[in-house]
Amino acid sequence: MASLLSVGVIVPTGAFAERAALIRRALASILSQEGVNAVPVVVVNGPNRCPELVRELGSDPRVRLIEIPQAGIPGALSAGRDAMQCEWFSSLDDDDLYLPDALATRVQALRARPECGAVVTNGYVRGHGVERLHVPDMQRVARDPLKALTEGNWLLPGSWMCRTESVGSGLFHRMPRMLECTYLALQLVLHCRPCFLDRPTVVWNTDTPGSASKSRDYRIGHVEALEQLLQLPLPPDTRRWLMASRTSARHERADFHLREKALLQAWPWHIRTLTSRGGWRHAPFMLRLLLAALRR
């Protein structure tokens, strides 16, 4: 009997004790994949890991464990890619899960399209008792991925797979700490000629306690991430969209600091907003700042 094709799956995790059950669930969804030999590459990142959980992960012979000191998805994906020994690789957040046959479906798609360096599938978004299909019209995305991206991010964490030879670890070195999926979607389109499958293969959970996306740093860090995205070699329409997004992010940063009553931080961000593309639309926000200053 022919041996199964090996697929590496990078699982970035802080290995927090309160997420142990979620990590086990994510790994179970990888290891139960049929039609391929799924190899979880668990990258424990950051200083606040649970030693007992790390020992548990390291004692599983089916799991390849890597530990790095710095926290964050980009460093974890980069370390996982550096260690990748499989012809194909993907990733999965530690609180998400693959649907049955997810990896075999992606491998089949890439083997049928040798000109493509990556494949992107659909998925389900699940949270607060509701589940919905992420991309209503994947054919529209396939026709013009960059235009579709300006209307909504079609790339879920864990919904993609790459040929390992098509993507080096340098791609993840340049990934911002926020808006990782937007960055990866842009890079896949720019460099990997992805194909798109209108088949759900992953479940993205949005209501997991303790997720990095719920942190204060994440909420105010979009400006810096957008600055990094604007350094990519983008077509004019995509660049204009990102510049408009940066203007909105600057305004949201000013509003966030105002709600924190940190006026000395809110004012500079409002000025940056006004001097940005389309920033004049946020001019009325100055009245809120002035009223807040008068109340002090």
Side-chain angles (χ1 to χ4, degrees):
M1 185 175 67
S3 59
L4 296 176
L5 294 170
S6 292
V7 179
V9 180
I10 304 170
V11 184
T13 180
F16 304 136
E18 61 270 23
R19 293 170 75 91
L22 297 172
I23 296 168
R24 296 186 191 106
R25 184 185 67 176
L27 290 176
S29 77
I30 297 170
L31 293 167
S32 64
Q33 292 290 305
E34 296 184 353
V36 298
N37 174 33
V39 181
V41 181
V42 178
V43 184
V44 176
N45 61 93
N48 300 317
R49 62 197 68 181
C50 170
E52 292 79 12
L53 179 56
V54 174
R55 283 194 292 270
E56 176 187 330
L57 295 170
S59 66
D60 191 332
R62 303 168 299 174
V63 173
R64 182 169 186 185
L65 180 67
I66 299 172
E67 297 185 62
I68 60 175
Q70 70 273 22
I73 297 292
L77 291 176
S78 180
R81 170 59 187 85
D82 282 341
M84 192 55 58
Q85 298 175 347
C86 302
E87 183 178 356
W88 329 84
F89 81 99
S90 183
S91 74
L92 187 68
D93 284 358
D94 67 359
D95 57 344
D96 295 338
L97 66 150
Y98 282 144
L99 296 172
D101 300 319
L103 298 181
T105 297
R106 300 178 195 184
V107 169
Q108 183 179 9
L110 285 176
R111 295 187 77 184
R113 299 169 177 83
E115 75 280 7
C116 296
V119 58
V120 176
T121 73
N122 216 330
Y124 293 112
V125 178
R126 180 183 295 170
H128 305 290
V130 177
E131 182 174 281
R132 63 176 176 82
L133 188 67
H134 181 55
V135 181
D137 186 356
M138 189 64 85
Q139 291 184 354
R140 180 179 60 84
V141 175
R143 287 193 297 270
D144 193 338
L146 290 180
K147 181 179 179 181
L149 192 63
T150 67
E151 300 167 0
N153 196 339
W154 35 258
L155 186 73
L156 284 177
S159 70
W160 55 274
M161 176 185 285
C162 290
R163 300 181 193 274
T164 303
E165 64 181 13
S166 299
V167 175
S169 63
L171 181 143
F172 300 114
H173 290 161
R174 299 185 295 272
M175 176 180 278
R177 292 179 57 249
M178 322 295 178
L179 303 180
E180 301 99 326
C181 285
T182 303
Y183 169 86
L184 187 55
L186 288 168
Q187 290 285 36
L188 292 180
V189 174
L190 293 173
H191 300 295
C192 294
R193 195 177 179 180
C195 56
F196 295 86
L197 291 182
D198 193 11
R199 175 171 173 177
T201 65
V202 67
V203 175
W204 181 48
N205 292 292
T206 64
D207 56 357
T208 306
S211 295
S213 60
K214 297 179 175 63
S215 69
R216 179 184 185 277
D217 287 347
Y218 194 92
R219 293 171 64 189
I220 67 174
H222 284 191
V223 176
E224 290 79 3
L226 288 162
E227 295 282 5
Q228 289 181 251
L229 296 182
L230 282 165
Q231 296 175 19
L232 298 175
L234 302 167
D237 287 349
T238 307
R239 182 170 297 279
R240 284 192 291 270
W241 164 64
L242 287 175
M243 290 177 69
S245 299
R246 182 180 61 183
T247 300
S248 296
R250 286 172 172 171
H251 170 67
E252 290 165 6
R253 181 81 172 260
D255 184 61
F256 185 89
H257 289 310
L258 175 61
R259 285 183 277 112
E260 287 187 323
K261 299 183 180 180
L263 294 182
L264 291 180
Q265 292 175 284
W267 273 107
W269 282 109
H270 181 55
I271 298 303
R272 293 180 193 179
T273 301
L274 294 178
T275 57
S276 303
R277 181 186 183 93
W280 58 268
R281 292 174 297 177
H282 300 289
F285 182 75
M286 184 174 291
L287 180 59
R288 290 179 57 195
L289 288 173
L290 290 171
L291 290 173
L294 290 172
R295 293 192 190 103
R296 298 190 67 172

